[in-house]
Amino acid sequence: MKTIYVAGGCFWGVEKFIALIPGVASTEVGYANGNTEKPSYEDVCRKNTGHAEAVRVDYNPHKVSLTFLLERFYEVIDPLTLNRQGGDVGVQYRTGVYFTDSADEEIIRGSIALLQENYDKPVMIEVKPLVHFYPAEEYHQKYLDKNPGGYCHIGRDKFEVAKAAVDSATLYRPAEKAALREKLTSLQFDVTQNSATEPPFRNEYCNTFELGIYVDITTGQPLFVSSDKFESGCGWPSFSRPISAELLSELPDHSHGRQRVEVRSALGDSHLGHVFTDGPAESGGLRYCINSASLRFVPREKMEAEGYGKLLPLLGK
């Protein structure tokens, strides 16, 4: 298990959202990196203690990556505001990511650097080691579970997305590495688990353009549809977008002396390939360059029988 602390405004909603992410084992709200010991909620609100309302997140790194957790966290905050989220204003409502493992700092800063590319204004998320964290009073813990109609600055639609991810995780559970070694070919295992790259042009789906969906070879979770696949000339399957952004995680890749953005499956945490910005402009300008070995193609005529019938309408888009 690993632990990370995030602050993003009122901790009631942030805790509820993060707790829904598959791979998160437990959450606890509290007060982080302030100037006093063991503050009360009233102290934090009224006595200028400097604490941030934060959420302790214990997660299984074999089921969910820190990068993916941070990407979901960004979805429920305004990263450009200082000491304010929604209608809540004050130092206690600042945004921040606080770590206890120094190895996490590079991952966090790399993730925020990618986030910054989406904005012209500076991102205001502070990144610091955790100095201290004091659990909040019991009535704050799992507040929105106890009070479903309680105040929350996060839109209800965000919780629907998180719930859908939970439902998806129930259907497509990651396998242990030992089981994957038995299930996959040596190439599939090397690509998905060791971030290898298969040969260009000499791979299974490079020239496949029939109707259907492409699923994660390790979990069976749907990732791409044939209508978003295009011929890029690069030698690997290319897609303009995934079925949903929540299905993928992206992280900086500085291997081989190059700066690239790696793409991994969010649930299986399998290496898929890389995403580039030289895709078709009319489809958003992205090119997801994906290894065939990380995918399994399910043709349209087999989708219903294999449990993917609900995705059939996507093939016409």
Side-chain angles (χ1 to χ4, degrees):
M1 300 298 295
K2 293 200 67 175
T3 301
I4 197 71
Y5 297 78
V6 296
C10 176
F11 48 24
W12 294 343
V14 176
E15 182 280 325
K16 174 69 174 179
F17 181 83
I18 296 292
L20 288 171
I21 298 174
V24 171
S26 64
T27 53
E28 182 180 41
V29 299
Y31 313 115
N33 284 15
N35 306 316
T36 64
E37 295 183 359
K38 299 180 180 179
S40 67
Y41 183 61
E42 182 177 357
D43 291 339
V44 172
C45 291
R46 302 179 184 279
K47 296 184 179 180
N48 194 30
T49 65
H51 291 85
E53 291 193 16
V55 182
R56 171 182 172 138
V57 183
D58 297 320
Y59 66 97
N60 185 337
H62 300 294
K63 295 183 178 180
V64 61
S65 66
L66 176 57
T67 299
F68 182 74
L69 283 177
L70 293 175
E71 289 174 351
R72 302 290 77 75
F73 169 61
Y74 302 152
E75 293 176 359
V76 295
I77 63 170
D78 177 351
L80 305 181
T81 59
L82 179 65
N83 299 336
R84 185 181 78 249
Q85 288 295 305
D88 301 314
V89 180
V91 172
Q92 76 193 77
Y93 301 115
R94 66 186 182 271
T95 55
V97 181
Y98 310 114
F99 56 90
T100 56
D101 182 348
S102 59
D104 288 341
E105 183 175 8
E106 182 178 359
I107 297 173
I108 297 166
R109 294 195 182 280
S111 174
I112 291 178
L114 287 176
L115 178 67
Q116 180 65 73
E117 292 180 4
N118 298 315
Y119 302 99
D120 295 327
K121 296 180 179 179
V123 166
M124 305 302 293
I125 303 172
E126 66 177 11
V127 178
K128 293 182 177 180
L130 183 80
V131 178
H132 49 228
F133 176 83
Y134 299 106
E137 295 83 347
E138 180 56 33
Y139 75 91
H140 287 298
Q141 307 299 334
K142 303 293 182 183
Y143 182 86
L144 291 180
D145 288 344
K146 301 171 185 174
N147 304 275
Y151 167 77
C152 181
H153 69 287
I154 298 172
R156 299 293 173 179
D157 60 317
K158 299 294 185 182
F159 292 104
E160 291 301 318
V161 171
K163 185 178 183 303
V166 172
D167 295 340
S168 177
T170 302
L171 292 172
Y172 314 108
R173 292 190 180 279
E176 297 295 333
K177 275 204 172 185
L180 288 176
R181 194 178 290 278
E182 294 295 322
K183 170 186 174 183
L184 304 178
T185 67
S186 57
L187 177 62
Q188 290 169 339
F189 186 87
D190 204 24
V191 168
T192 60
Q193 305 305 302
N194 299 322
S195 300
T197 301
E198 67 192 1
F201 300 104
R202 294 182 289 112
N203 53 76
E204 190 172 5
Y205 303 126
C206 176
N207 296 313
T208 299
F209 290 96
E210 61 182 293
L211 293 177
I213 61 171
Y214 295 81
V215 305
D216 182 346
I217 190 70
T218 68
T219 65
Q221 187 173 44
L223 300 176
F224 302 96
V225 296
S226 57
S227 53
D228 294 320
K229 190 171 188 289
F230 64 95
E231 174 55 65
S232 68
C234 70
W236 293 277
S238 296
F239 302 88
S240 59
R241 60 184 175 182
I243 292 174
S244 173
E246 284 74 26
L247 301 175
L248 306 180
S249 60
E250 299 179 6
L251 58 157
D253 179 1
H254 303 300
S255 63
H256 307 293
R258 302 169 61 189
Q259 293 188 4
R260 297 179 294 173
V261 178
E262 181 191 9
V263 179
R264 303 184 71 86
S265 60
L267 180 60
D269 194 31
S270 296
H271 173 73
L272 301 176
H274 294 84
V275 60
F276 302 95
T277 57
D278 57 2
E282 65 275 15
S283 300
L286 297 179
R287 173 172 60 94
Y288 288 84
C289 182
I290 307 298
N291 288 279
S292 291
S294 65
L295 302 173
R296 183 172 72 87
F297 178 67
V298 182
R300 177 176 60 179
E301 58 270 21
K302 293 184 179 181
M303 286 175 59
E304 191 73 53
E306 294 196 24
Y308 301 110
K310 290 184 179 179
L311 299 179
L312 283 167
L314 295 179
L315 302 186
K317 291 186 177 181

